[in-house]
Amino acid sequence: RVIKSLNYWFMATADRMLANSPVTADIFLSRGFQPEKMKVVWNPIDFSVFDAVSDGIGLRTELKIDENAPLIGIVGRIARIKCIEHFIHASKLVSEQMPTARFLVVGGTHGERNKAYLGELIRLCRDLGMGDKVIFLGRRTDVPRIMKSLNLLAHTSESEGFGLAVAE
C-alpha cells in the first residue's frame, strides 16, 4: 500500500521517468505516467569483461564437469518470478536424452521468501532424481566466466523488464 502510494506520488511530481526498457516504460504509461516525461535508457553492459574471459574450462574443472558434457545454466536472482522450476523440469527432460548434461542455477536469494523458494527448488531436484545433475552455485562474482562455460543459457522468467543475463 505504501509502495503504491509512493508510485503515484512519483508519477505526479516527477519531471522525468527513466525506464530500463520499453516494456518497463509501458508499465508506467499504463499506470498514468505522462508519455512526454518518459525516457528509455537501456542498462549498460560492459562487454569487455566477457571478452577478457578466455574459456570456461576452469569452471568445469572446479565443478568436476567433463569438458565435453553439455552445460546449461540459468543466471539471475532466485525468485519465484524467474520460474526456475520450469528450468528444473526441462533439465529432467534434457537429461533423459543427454545423460551427461549438467545444469547450473546461478544467483543469490534476497529475503526469506526467496530462501524458502530455493529450498523448494532443491527439494524438486531431489524428487526428480536430479540432485547430482543440477548444481546451485549461489550468488557469484564471476558471472562472465560462468556464462563463457555454458553451452546454453536458459531464461524462464514469467515477467522481465530487462533480461540482463540474456543481453550479456
Side-chain angles (χ1 to χ4, degrees):
R1 190 173 177 111
V2 171
I3 291 175
K4 193 173 188 179
S5 296
L6 280 174
N7 281 339
Y8 286 116
W9 180 79
F10 281 121
M11 287 192 288
T13 61
D15 294 326
R16 271 270 176 239
M17 176 69 80
L18 299 179
N20 65 351
S21 74
V23 171
T24 303
D26 287 344
I27 290 169
F28 284 105
L29 293 172
S30 73
R31 293 179 182 165
F33 198 78
Q34 300 162 340
E36 63 274 8
K37 292 184 176 184
M38 181 61 62
K39 175 80 175 154
V40 174
V41 178
W42 295 95
N43 284 339
I45 299 171
D46 181 3
F47 289 107
S48 68
V49 297
F50 292 90
D51 295 338
V53 177
S54 60
D55 63 48
I57 300 299
L59 179 72
R60 287 170 177 264
T61 302
E62 173 189 323
L63 298 175
K64 297 179 177 70
I65 298 172
D66 184 278
E67 67 181 74
N68 297 314
L71 187 57
I72 303 165
I74 188 166
V75 177
R77 66 188 163 86
I78 305 296
R80 283 194 194 282
I81 199 164
K82 301 293 186 177
C83 300
I84 299 167
E85 66 276 10
H86 297 320
F87 174 73
I88 293 169
H89 283 288
S91 297
K92 173 71 172 169
L93 297 174
V94 170
S95 182
E96 290 169 0
Q97 299 298 312
M98 303 172 79
T100 62
R102 295 296 176 263
F103 309 90
L104 301 181
V105 177
V106 183
T109 58
H110 303 284
E112 291 305 311
R113 283 189 305 183
N114 292 338
K115 288 178 184 173
Y117 179 55
L118 174 61
E120 290 172 30
L121 296 173
I122 292 169
R123 282 189 297 281
L124 176 61
C125 287
R126 188 181 58 237
D127 293 347
L128 293 175
M130 295 294 290
D132 62 332
K133 294 187 178 197
V134 177
I135 303 165
F136 290 85
L137 292 181
R139 185 180 181 282
R140 298 283 293 235
T141 58
D142 59 343
V143 170
R145 177 176 166 238
I146 291 168
M147 292 178 84
K148 190 82 164 204
S149 71
L150 297 176
N151 297 104
L152 181 68
L153 176 71
H155 182 75
T156 57
S157 290
E158 177 181 293
S159 175
E160 196 79 55
F162 183 86
L164 187 57
V166 172
E168 291 173 336

